[in-house]
Amino acid sequence: MINFICFLNFLKMKATIISTVLPLLAALAITPVARAADITGTVTLKGTPPPEVPYTPLMENADCAAMHQTTPTTHFYVVGPKGELGDVVVYLKGITGKSTGASQPPVVLDQKGCLYTPQILAIQTGQKLVVTNSDNCIHNVHSVPKVAGNEEHNDAQMPGGPNLTYTYAGPEMFITFKCDVHPWMFAWVSVFDSPYYSISGTDGKFVIKNVPPGKYTVEANHRKLGSQTQDVEVKDRDVTVNFNFEVK
Ligand SMILES: [Cu+2]
């Protein structure tokens, strides 16, 4: 008797699987699922860029020179052995109102050896930019945005002093950060109103993650070489788009 009830229960379970699970699996198999995808690529440079400039005035400042063995240089052109180009800001153009910045971790801009590091960085609107001072000398963090609504800041930061925290309301390319104590110090912070941006690494590669399906213009912007755009369409798989800059 027990065996017969067990057999009936088995039949019921089987019927349930057939009536509910199988049609669901079939539907998944035939319905194309639109999903967010990554836009990836490599930025390269053709030609030889101008030589970087030694930070001679840095070495004439005793406090700053003490933190370097040799004279550091600018690094406007971060170029790999096969022309891979770093420090290029790559982003989906014209996307506004999609910022997730308020819930993202802060991005850190450090002052180390009397230089800003990194030199090129990006944040979202509403995301915290935290400026730290790793040096044992004073710096004066002076940001100069040009877009109305983005505030200018001019703050001294003592060695071991508290971090400075800034946010920006509007998108803007390459906000200049300088130091009024050390005139060679610069960084450039780009602000986006969406999470769809990336900065190419020393290998020239970038990844713009989780882009919803749609048509987009991808812009690659290098502070010295200018910008290029390419149109892409994201459907249901990752998209590759490469950029090649040239110095003549
Ligand atoms: Cu400084």
Side-chain angles (χ1 to χ4, degrees):
M1 188 62 182
I2 289 171
N3 276 347
F4 181 66
I5 292 170
C6 277
F7 180 65
L8 278 182
N9 280 343
F10 170 72
L11 282 184
K12 261 193 230 164
M13 200 173 77
K14 204 172 165 189
T16 310
I17 289 173
I18 291 168
S19 63
T20 60
V21 179
L22 287 184
L24 190 65
L25 287 176
L28 282 175
I30 53 172
T31 312
V33 181
R35 63 170 185 93
D38 296 346
I39 299 176
T40 63
T42 307
V43 189
T44 49
L45 179 69
K46 192 180 168 192
T48 307
E52 301 288 351
V53 183
Y55 285 117
T56 312
L58 184 154
M59 297 307 272
E60 288 162 1
N61 177 305
D63 288 339
C64 298
M67 294 184 272
H68 293 274
Q69 303 287 330
T70 53
T71 307
T73 69
T74 55
H75 43 282
F76 295 132
Y77 301 91
V78 178
V79 188
K82 291 178 184 160
E84 307 92 329
L85 184 61
D87 273 357
V88 180
V89 186
V90 186
Y91 55 98
L92 303 189
K93 217 177 164 181
I95 296 190
T96 55
K98 298 280 183 199
S99 177
T100 60
S103 64
Q104 295 301 306
V107 170
V108 176
L109 173 59
D110 192 21
Q111 296 159 108
K112 200 170 175 159
C114 294
L115 295 169
Y116 277 115
T117 177
Q119 185 178 283
I120 300 288
L121 62 168
I123 54 172
Q124 293 188 61
T125 50
Q127 184 174 15
K128 285 179 180 151
L129 175 73
V130 172
V131 183
T132 56
N133 182 0
S134 294
D135 289 340
N136 41 30
C137 61
I138 186 175
H139 291 292
N140 192 92
V141 180
H142 190 172
S143 61
V144 197
K146 295 192 174 80
V147 167
N150 284 343
E151 249 178 90
E152 178 172 349
H153 295 281
N154 194 346
D155 297 313
Q157 194 174 33
M158 301 300 287
N163 295 341
L164 299 166
T165 302
Y166 306 124
T167 57
Y168 294 94
E172 180 167 351
M173 280 310 293
F174 298 132
I175 296 175
T176 301
F177 275 65
K178 52 187 184 174
C179 173
D180 292 341
V181 182
H182 308 112
W184 59 83
M185 284 178 68
F186 287 98
W188 292 274
V189 178
S190 295
V191 185
F192 296 99
D193 209 18
S194 88
Y196 307 126
Y197 59 88
S198 176
I199 297 175
S200 64
T202 50
D203 57 0
K205 288 189 173 18
F206 67 88
V207 184
I208 303 174
K209 288 189 171 168
N210 293 318
V211 180
K215 291 182 177 176
Y216 302 98
T217 299
V218 186
E219 182 158 279
N221 202 331
H222 183 272
R223 216 187 63 80
K224 290 281 186 186
L225 296 164
S227 66
Q228 294 181 6
T229 61
Q230 286 190 51
D231 292 338
V232 301
E233 182 168 10
V234 172
K235 288 181 178 168
D236 57 353
R237 64 193 64 186
D238 294 348
V239 177
T240 302
V241 52
N242 298 318
F243 290 92
N244 182 240
F245 285 85
E246 199 173 342
V247 275
K248 286 170 189 164

